[in-house]
Every structure is written in C-alpha cells, then in structure tokens.
Amino acid sequence: MVDTNSITAIIDNGDMDGDIREIAQKAYQGIRISDGEALALYERAPLPLLGMLAFGIKNKKTGSKVFYNRNFHIEPTNVCVNNCRFCSYKKPQGDPQAWELSMDEILHKVATYRDSRATEVHIVGGVHPDRDIDYYCNLMREVKRIMPGIVVKAFTAVEIEYMINKAGLSLEEGLKKLKEAGLEAIPGGGAEIFDEELRAEICPEKTKSSVWLDIHRTAHKLGIGTNATMLYGHKETYAQRVDHMSRLRRLQDETHGFSAFIPLKYRNENNQMSALGEVSLTEDLRNYAMARIYLDNFPHVKAYWVMSGLETTKLALQYGADDIDGTVNDSTKIYTMAGVSGKPTMTVEQIREVIESAGLQPVERDTFYNEV
C-alpha cells in the first residue's frame, strides 16, 4: 500500500526532472493539470511516480474502496452497418459467426437471471440495419416486465445515433423516448479516439466525435447517467490520448453526468489492424494512472476485468482504478472474439477475492455507485 509519505518522497526525489516534479506536486495537491502537463507526464514521468500519484489521488476520492456490481450482458446482434478496422465482433449477415437474436430469445436469456440478484443489465450490440427505436423500446419494456427492479444500461452513442436518425427524431426527442421506455444509463462505448483524422482512418463510418459528445451531453441534461471510454494501444499518440480525455473533462465540467472513465485496450486478433500487435503491461498501467491523474472531475476509473484480464486488473487497482465492473456471467463476446482468453464470468466471491488480494476493500454498488 502507498502512503502519503511515500508519495511525497518520490515526488521530492532530487534526481527527478524538475518540470515533472512540479507537475506531480500540482496534481497531488488537487490542482488541475493542463493538457501540456499531462503530455509531459505521459512522455517523461517514471512509471513508479505515476502509479503512486494515481493511487494517492484515488485514495483521496474513494479511500480503500473498490467497487463492483452484479450484472449481465445482452448482445442482441453482432450484425452491424459499420466497418471499424479494429473490430473483431462485427460479422455480416449469413456469416457462421453472426447472430441476430429474436425478441423471444433475448427475453428468455433475461428470464434466466430473474432470481440472480443482478442489479443491472447491459445491452449493447452491433448497429443492425433493420432494427429501429421502437424495437429497442419494446425490448426494454419487456425486460423491465420480467425484472422490474433491474437497471437498464443500454446502447452506445453509435447505436443511439442510428436509431434516432432512422426515426427522424432530434437527439433530445429520441433520448426522451428511450428513457420513457426504460433506459436509465448509457455505457461509454463508441468513443474510441476522438481525434478526427485518426477516427477517419480506423472507423470512418462511425459516429463523429462531436455527435458522440452531444449524445452524452443531451443524456446528462435528461438525467440519464453515462460512462466514457477510450480505445488505446493502436495507432494513437500520447497527444491524441490527452486530447480525447480533454474533451471528456470539458464536457464533465459542463454537465457532471459521467460516472466512470474506462480505458479499453485494443486487442488485435481477428480484425483488420491485427498487424499492429498490442501494447505492453507497463503501457496499460501508465494509461490507467494518467486517466486517474488527468480526469480530476471523474468520480471513478474502471479497470474492466473482462478486457484487461485478472492479473492486469489487480495491478490497475494500484494505478488509480477503483472499479472492476461486475459478474458479467459469460454474457459478452466482444473481447473473447478479439483474442482474450477465458470465459468472462466471476462470482461475487471471486470478485471480492481479487480486490482483497490487492489489499483493498470490495464494495458492492448499483449502476449509480450507491453502495448495496
């Protein structure tokens, strides 16, 4: 465990770059760092410094607590109108690996969790060309009929843009309709990297950065909580990571509607960018730490264990993360199709063991970080 004296000692190390020392002192004192200062930390700060600094900042926010929830995923389809170069999930209609679950099949899956004590269902899939906002509104109503107490966290901004445009509605009209049908929270997917030039290269058909931000801004205005993500470890630079988080930090200043930031590592199997390989564990930890240091107005940083794996997740808890997501129950294929090994499921007991083995306190939460 890292204490205040340890952090102060490493910051005050006389052998450290003076600029880096000053930026670290500023961040630890709770003074917002600039984009340029964040870039300097990314490029030049020693990893032990970033880890101690991020852990100290996390401790000021949530103490020794690390959060988790009881959740499961529903992925209605992996058929998608987009063709993101990094995606291993999307398959064309008729492909042996494609699926298009019927309403009955989806609701049968939901019914199997009726007695599970799950508090959240996470519904995300491909942008199906033939499914509209009314289809998904009906789906949410039926889910709530089966599990009245479940929180529906559903649809990336990419899915939402498509269904709202297809219906000829404004963002506010469409989100109001979804909320009335049962939408209570929106996950952070589809953000990828906001830099327009890089976005045009790796996901040219996808929702524009400005639209992604507008959807989340409008959701916050309507009282729909959301998360935010960043896909890292492919072609992006440190400057592009900082720019991405800068846009999120500015929106959070405006709306205060984000609950958590989730760094998502690019996984390279079975997609058009596979030749790039994957970044190292030390780069993963540097990124978690920088997220916690820079995003001073985000309450939580999540290490999504399904994506990162359990060993990296444990380490991320020492680098600023204070949430590891939930039980999941082998109900998502997004990362297994990209090469992550193992079935994505953990019991509550296993989750608590992971957190306690890192010397921290497991705390069960609901979608909105109320302690259960």
Side-chain angles (χ1 to χ4, degrees):
M1 300 291 288
V2 179
D3 59 27
T4 300
N5 291 334
S6 300
I7 297 168
T8 302
I10 196 169
I11 290 175
D12 291 341
N13 185 339
D15 295 331
M16 187 181 297
D17 181 315
D19 290 343
I20 297 301
R21 185 189 305 115
E22 289 180 12
I23 298 168
Q25 288 171 335
K26 182 177 176 180
Y28 191 60
Q29 290 166 7
I31 301 169
R32 173 167 288 188
I33 63 172
S34 68
D35 291 1
E37 289 168 332
L39 184 58
L41 290 181
Y42 254 129
E43 293 178 338
R44 292 158 40 209
L47 185 60
L49 169 65
L50 293 180
M52 286 191 172
L53 186 55
F55 190 85
I57 291 169
K58 177 265 178 214
N59 265 1
K60 289 181 178 182
K61 288 183 176 290
T62 55
S64 64
K65 295 178 180 180
V66 173
F67 298 93
Y68 69 92
N69 69 342
R70 299 178 194 246
N71 66 344
F72 64 95
H73 289 227
I74 295 292
E75 296 175 352
T77 182
N78 66 339
V79 172
C80 187
V81 299
N82 295 316
N83 185 32
C84 301
R85 311 308 185 250
F86 53 78
C87 182
S88 309
Y89 182 75
K90 174 254 178 83
K91 300 297 176 187
Q93 286 175 302
D95 187 283
Q97 288 187 290
W99 67 84
E100 301 173 77
L101 299 180
S102 69
M103 182 77 74
D104 286 344
E105 288 172 323
I106 294 169
L107 297 178
H108 176 74
K109 284 178 177 287
V110 172
T112 64
Y113 293 99
R114 185 182 279 132
D115 300 318
S116 67
R117 296 176 62 193
T119 59
E120 174 188 289
V121 57
H122 182 286
I123 305 175
V124 162
V127 181
H128 195 288
D130 301 325
R131 294 184 175 175
D132 60 16
I133 194 168
D134 292 322
Y135 176 90
Y136 288 111
C137 285
N138 289 336
L139 173 61
M140 288 189 289
R141 292 188 190 99
E142 288 299 305
V143 168
K144 296 288 279 188
R145 181 183 60 79
I146 295 168
M147 297 183 73
I150 200 83
V151 170
V152 177
K153 183 172 79 176
F155 317 128
T156 66
V158 180
E159 294 169 88
I160 288 170
E161 181 196 27
Y162 186 84
M163 65 177 78
I164 287 177
N165 285 347
K166 192 178 179 74
L169 302 173
S170 69
L171 287 183
E172 184 164 342
E173 289 168 340
L175 283 164
K176 279 182 177 178
K177 181 169 183 170
L178 290 166
K179 183 179 180 180
E180 288 166 1
L183 181 67
E184 295 167 84
I186 296 172
E192 322 311 358
I193 283 286
F194 289 147
D195 180 85
E196 283 76 14
E197 287 189 15
L198 183 53
R199 199 174 185 86
E201 182 180 348
I202 66 173
C203 51
E205 304 91 354
K206 186 165 261 181
T207 302
K208 294 184 183 301
S209 302
S210 59
V211 176
W212 190 100
L213 292 163
D214 279 343
I215 288 169
H216 284 258
R217 177 183 289 109
T218 305
H220 298 168
K221 175 184 173 183
L222 295 174
I224 302 170
T226 79
N227 289 334
T229 62
M230 176 175 71
L231 184 70
Y232 74 93
H234 44 93
K235 295 185 175 184
E236 87 288 354
T237 63
Y238 285 150
Q240 288 167 333
R241 290 188 200 174
V242 172
D243 169 69
H244 184 97
M245 291 192 292
S246 179
R247 300 192 204 193
L248 292 173
R249 192 169 74 172
R250 292 197 300 272
L251 180 54
Q252 182 74 331
D253 280 342
E254 177 187 336
T255 66
H256 309 289
F258 289 115
S259 295
F261 176 71
I262 311 162
L264 295 176
K265 180 175 183 172
Y266 164 69
R267 295 291 190 168
N268 76 326
E269 287 194 20
N270 306 314
N271 62 61
Q272 298 173 58
M273 289 166 43
S274 292
L276 290 177
E278 295 178 1
V279 295
S280 66
L281 171 61
T282 56
E283 188 60 36
D284 295 333
L285 298 178
R286 178 173 293 273
N287 201 52
Y288 279 113
M290 282 304 307
R292 183 62 287 166
I293 293 164
Y294 179 84
L295 291 170
D296 54 3
N297 55 3
F298 271 65
H300 306 283
V301 172
K302 181 186 293 188
Y304 181 41
W305 70 264
V306 174
M307 175 276 295
S308 60
L310 293 182
E311 292 308 312
T312 300
T313 297
K314 287 182 189 179
L315 290 169
L317 297 180
Q318 304 296 331
Y319 284 77
D322 72 331
D323 185 283
I324 67 171
D325 202 74
T327 47
V328 180
N329 290 304
D330 195 20
S331 53
T332 177
K333 296 182 181 180
I334 291 172
Y335 276 95
T336 54
M337 292 176 76
V340 177
S341 61
K343 290 188 174 183
T345 186
M346 277 204 290
T347 64
V348 166
E349 292 72 26
Q350 288 170 325
I351 289 175
R352 294 180 68 88
E353 183 180 340
V354 167
I355 296 168
E356 288 170 348
S357 70
L360 296 163
Q361 175 192 354
V363 177
E364 185 174 351
R365 61 164 176 85
D366 65 12
T367 301
F368 310 106
Y369 287 86
N370 299 306
E371 296 184 18
V372 175

